[in-house]
Amino acid sequence: MGQEDGKQASSFDGKETRGSVVLSVAFFAAFTAYMAIQNLQSSLNQAADLGIISLSVLYACIIFSGILAPAVIKFLGVKKSLILSWICHILYTGSNFYPTFYTLIPSSILLGAISGFMWTGQSIYISVCAFSLAKSTDKTEYDVLSKLNGLFFTLFETTQITGNLVSSLVLQTGTYSNVTGGAVCGPEYCPLSVNGSEIATPETSVVYILLGIYLGCDVIALVVTVFFLPPLPKSNWSSNASLKQSLSSFFVTLFKSKLIFLVPFIMFQAVEQAILWGDYTRSYVSCTIGIHMVGFIMATYGAATASCAFVFSRIAKYIGRYILFFTAAVLQGGVFVVLYIWTPTSEDTTYLFLIPVAWGLGEGIWQTQSNSLIALLFPEKKEPAFANFHTWKAIGFTLTFILSNFLCLKTKLIFVMSLLVVGMTMYTGVEIYNRRSHGSDVTKSEIKMEDKKESKTSL
C-alpha cells in the first residue's frame, strides 16, 4: 500500500465497514429504480425508438463525465458527487412519467453527465475502505478488496430482483393485446426491417404506479447518502494535483500504463450488458412471452449475479482472479453461441429463464473482480484509473445502444463474441507482464502482512 493510502487510512479507521454498507444501501435504493426502468426502455418506449435513443444519449454523456471525473471529484469530493447524482436520478425517473424527446432526452443527458462522477466515486470509496481495512486487520489487500466489492455488488445486483419483481407484479395488472402476428423474434430481429415486432404495452395508469414506487426509491438513496455516509478524506493525489493535472490524468494514465491494453476487456463487459438490457429483453422476452415477464426474468438474472458475486468474492483468494475471469468468459461465450443459433417461441419460457442464470453467473465475476483488478494495478492513481474504467464501459454501452437502431441482432452477437476473444487475450497478456515485472499482487500483499505481524511481535 502506498503512502497516499496510508494517510487516507489513518483518517478513516473504524469507518470502513459502515461506509461500505451505507454506500451499498444507497446504490441499492437508487438502482432498484434505474435498472428496472432501463430494462423496460426498449419495450415501453418503442415509438421512434425513444427508449433506445435515450439510453444511447445517456451513456454517451457518461463518456465525457468519466473523462472529467478526476477533476470534479478533486473539488467536490466523493460524497457531494453522489448527492448530486441522486438528485439527477430523481429528475430522470420523473421524466419517465411523460416520456417524449423533449423530456426524456434532456433528463438522460443530465443523468449521463453525472454518472461518470458517481461510478468513479463509488469505486474510489470501496477501494479506500479496503486499503484502510487491510492495514488495520492485517489481511491482504486483494482479500479485502474482493470481500468489499463482493458486499457492494451482491447488494447492487439484488436491485435486479427487487426492481424487476416490482415491475412485473405491477405490470401484470395491466391489460395487453397479443403481439403483432408474423413478428420475428430472437437473432433474426432487424430494427430497419419490416419484421420488427410491436410490443404490447400496459395502460398509462399502471405505468404511473410503477414509476411512483421507483421515485420513492430514489428519494431514499438521497436521504441515506446525506445523513449516513461518512465523507471520504481526499487522497494525496486529489489534494496535490492541479486542475490541469486532474484534467489530463485520464489520458496520461491511459497511454502511459498497461491500462490501454485492458480497453477491449473493459468494453466487452459493457457490450454484453447492453445486449442483455436492450436486445434480450426486447427480442427474446417481450417479443415471445410479453413485456410483463421481463421483470421476472431479469429478477432471475439478478439473483444469479448477486449469489455469484457473494460466493466468488469469498473464495477468490483461494483460486485467483485468473481462473474466475476465464470461467466467466466460458459461461458468457456459451450464452452468446446459444442466442445466435436459437430462435425462441412462446413455448420456451423455461429456457428464457435459464439463459439469464448462466449470464448472471459470469456477470457476478466481472463485477467484483474487475474493480479489484483496477485497484490493485493502479493503487497510487485510483481516481484516473477508475475514471478510465467507467468511461470505456460507457463507450461500450453507447456504441451498442446506437448500433441497436441499425444492426441486426446476429451481427451484434458476432461482434460481442469477437470482442470477448480479443479482450481475454489482451487481459492475459497484461497479467503475464504484471507477474513477470512485479510478481503476484496477492503474494506481495501476503509478504507485507507477514512483515507487519513480525514487527508487532518484536514490539
Side-chain angles (χ1 to χ4, degrees):
M1 181 164 49
Q3 181 183 9
E4 166 190 342
D5 297 312
K7 290 187 177 181
Q8 281 184 310
S10 64
S11 61
F12 203 61
D13 285 347
K15 302 176 183 178
E16 302 93 345
T17 302
R18 175 195 166 195
S20 298
V21 170
V22 172
L23 182 72
S24 301
V25 170
F27 270 77
F28 170 80
F31 279 82
T32 286
Y34 176 75
M35 296 301 287
I37 292 174
Q38 178 179 254
N39 292 338
L40 292 171
Q41 280 292 3
S42 62
S43 300
L44 206 55
N45 296 315
Q46 302 168 67
D49 284 327
L50 174 59
I52 289 293
I53 291 173
S54 69
L55 290 175
S56 303
V57 170
L58 193 158
Y59 283 98
C61 291
I62 296 178
I63 297 172
F64 298 102
S65 66
I67 294 173
L68 296 174
V72 172
I73 291 175
K74 167 183 167 62
F75 292 104
L76 283 182
V78 171
K79 182 171 180 175
K80 290 181 180 178
S81 297
L82 290 173
I83 291 173
L84 180 61
S85 299
W86 303 145
I87 293 174
C88 292
H89 269 263
I90 291 172
L91 296 175
Y92 176 76
T93 301
S95 71
N96 279 271
F97 279 91
Y98 186 67
T100 69
F101 279 92
Y102 301 104
T103 57
L104 193 55
I105 298 302
S107 67
S108 296
I109 292 173
L110 189 62
L111 183 58
I114 57 86
S115 290
F117 319 148
M118 175 190 70
W119 279 113
T120 302
Q122 176 273 324
S123 297
I124 293 170
Y125 200 100
I126 291 294
S127 297
V128 170
C129 288
F131 282 122
S132 176
L133 196 59
K135 181 181 178 182
S136 61
T137 60
D138 286 337
K139 292 183 178 179
T140 66
E141 293 166 357
Y142 178 65
D143 184 18
V144 181
L145 277 167
S146 290
K147 286 184 177 179
L148 290 189
N149 276 309
L151 165 69
F152 176 85
F153 284 107
T154 296
L155 199 55
F156 176 79
E157 290 299 340
T158 58
T159 61
Q160 290 280 8
I161 304 174
T162 52
N164 287 302
L165 279 179
V166 168
S167 76
S168 279
L169 290 172
V170 172
L171 291 178
Q172 72 177 1
T173 64
T175 55
Y176 303 85
S177 59
N178 293 327
V179 176
T180 304
V184 176
C185 303
E188 302 298 334
Y189 176 84
C190 285
L192 300 181
S193 172
V194 293
N195 71 6
S197 58
E198 181 83 18
I199 308 299
T201 56
E203 51 266 51
T204 303
S205 60
V206 174
V207 176
Y208 284 172
I209 294 173
L210 182 63
L211 292 174
I213 295 172
Y214 292 152
L215 197 60
C217 292
D218 289 330
V219 173
I220 291 173
L222 178 61
V223 171
V224 167
T225 302
V226 170
F227 293 105
F228 300 105
L229 185 69
L232 195 67
K234 285 189 175 183
S235 66
N236 281 353
W237 183 91
S238 292
S239 300
N240 298 329
S242 65
L243 177 60
K244 180 179 179 181
Q245 289 173 323
S246 298
L247 291 172
S248 63
S249 63
F250 177 93
F251 299 101
V252 172
T253 303
L254 175 64
F255 292 110
K256 291 190 176 181
S257 72
K258 47 190 167 290
L259 183 58
I260 193 170
F261 297 104
L262 291 174
V263 167
F265 178 74
I266 295 169
M267 286 186 65
F268 164 78
Q269 296 175 39
V271 174
E272 54 91 4
Q273 283 186 295
I275 289 177
L276 172 70
W277 299 334
D279 293 296
Y280 186 76
T281 56
R282 175 180 59 186
S283 303
Y284 288 82
V285 181
S286 295
C287 184
T288 55
I289 56 178
I291 190 176
H292 61 288
M293 293 299 293
V294 168
F296 290 130
I297 287 179
M298 293 303 291
T300 304
Y301 163 82
T305 306
S307 300
C308 184
F310 178 81
V311 172
F312 285 114
S313 66
R314 264 63 184 169
I315 66 175
K317 65 178 180 179
Y318 301 110
I319 59 180
R321 62 175 178 265
Y322 328 108
I323 295 176
L324 290 177
F325 278 142
F326 278 95
T327 300
V330 170
L331 282 169
Q332 293 197 342
V335 165
F336 295 128
V337 170
V338 170
L339 293 181
Y340 186 84
I341 63 177
W342 174 57
T343 300
T345 68
S346 58
E347 306 297 322
D348 293 328
T349 302
T350 300
Y351 300 111
L352 290 170
F353 273 92
L354 288 177
I355 286 176
V357 171
W359 208 321
L361 292 177
E363 190 60 38
I365 295 173
W366 298 132
Q367 293 278 24
T368 57
Q369 297 307 305
S370 294
N371 278 267
S372 299
L373 174 67
I374 298 298
L376 287 168
L377 292 179
F378 306 96
E380 306 296 334
K381 293 184 177 180
K382 289 187 290 292
E383 289 90 340
F386 278 117
N388 265 282
F389 177 70
H390 293 297
T391 298
W392 284 105
K393 286 188 74 172
I395 292 173
F397 282 126
T398 303
L399 290 176
T400 308
F401 286 131
I402 290 176
L403 293 176
S404 291
N405 295 312
F406 305 101
L407 294 182
C408 294
L409 184 50
K410 271 195 171 182
T411 304
K412 283 185 285 184
L413 290 172
I414 292 173
F415 172 73
V416 73
M417 286 187 281
S418 301
L419 189 60
L420 174 59
V421 173
V422 173
M424 288 303 296
T425 301
M426 296 183 73
Y427 157 73
T428 302
V430 169
E431 289 284 18
I432 292 173
Y433 172 81
N434 191 58
R435 289 177 69 88
R436 288 180 177 176
S437 301
H438 309 291
S440 169
D441 295 308
V442 178
T443 300
K444 290 192 295 182
S445 298
E446 289 171 347
I447 292 173
K448 290 180 182 179
M449 184 181 72
E450 291 300 324
D451 289 342
K452 286 187 285 186
K453 287 182 178 179
E454 290 176 6
S455 175
K456 288 182 179 180
T457 302
S458 63
L459 292 174

